[in-house]
Amino acid sequence: MSNENLENLIFDDLSLEKIEKTENQKRELFKLLKKRSSIDKISATTSISYETHSKFVDNNEYRYWFLIKNREEYVGTFYLTEMNGIGVFLVDNSIHLLEKIFLLIPKTFKPLPEIPSIRLCRFHVNIAIDNTKYSNILEKVGAELVQKSYLLK
């Protein structure tokens, strides 16, 4: 898929709205960020202001980035990185959609080609170590655990 030609995607009651960095989208993304529990967070570990969030949205260059809607309600976000990384967040009452999303991604998007020692040729997902909701669903859809990451002090 070409990022320039990408339109919003609809899959039954689930739709992906491409992030265009509008003020309305920034507000919706911020509302969703505030709903994240500590288990859902990897990098956004502190509370941030709307201004900081807005700058992040304006300056972020994910390969693809979407708001996830279930019917007409925003229930999460999804992005792909240039490193073939996948980030998905869903509010708790929509976690039942996670399996569907993880199955749709490889059917809808193609990973970028491998660059040895830099980028894998497959999609990968990083999750917080205590996020058993996501790890159970990833295992259910056939994902394999390939590494653990550690942060140095």
Side-chain angles (χ1 to χ4, degrees), residues 60-137:
N60 200 289
E61 295 297 329
Y62 290 129
R63 182 175 163 212
Y64 299 109
W65 193 8
F66 300 94
L67 279 161
I68 301 169
K69 287 174 101 172
N70 185 22
R71 295 178 181 82
E72 293 302 313
E73 180 184 0
Y74 291 110
V75 297
T77 64
F78 153 65
Y79 64 82
L80 291 179
T81 71
E82 296 291 331
M83 298 300 289
N84 291 333
I86 297 170
V88 179
F89 165 72
L90 289 170
V91 294
D92 283 341
N93 66 350
S94 295
I95 202 72
H96 64 281
L97 298 169
L98 191 59
E99 181 177 347
K100 183 175 187 175
I101 291 166
F102 280 132
L103 290 171
L104 282 171
I105 290 169
K107 291 178 183 175
T108 308
F109 302 91
K110 299 284 184 235
L112 294 173
E114 178 181 19
I115 300 173
S117 297
I118 296 174
R119 179 173 60 208
L120 298 171
C121 63
R122 294 166 44 191
F123 289 124
H124 65 278
V125 180
N126 292 320
I127 61 172
I129 196 162
D130 294 327
N131 193 337
T132 56
K133 296 180 292 188
Y134 278 52
S135 61
N136 290 339
I137 291 170

Side-chain angles (χ1 to χ4, degrees), residues 26-78:
K26 290 178 192 179
R27 282 190 296 276
E28 293 299 331
L29 287 164
F30 191 67
K31 287 181 201 173
L32 290 165
L33 178 63
K34 293 294 186 186
K35 291 180 181 180
R36 286 185 174 205
S37 72
S38 59
I39 289 176
D40 296 322
K41 296 178 183 177
I42 295 176
S43 59
T45 56
T46 60
S47 182
I48 63 169
S49 69
Y50 180 78
E51 182 180 333
T52 300
H53 163 76
S54 183
K55 286 179 184 175
F56 172 83
V57 173
D58 285 336
N59 295 313
N60 200 289
E61 295 297 329
Y62 290 129
R63 182 175 163 212
Y64 299 109
W65 193 8
F66 300 94
L67 279 161
I68 301 169
K69 287 174 101 172
N70 185 22
R71 295 178 181 82
E72 293 302 313
E73 180 184 0
Y74 291 110
V75 297
T77 64
F78 153 65

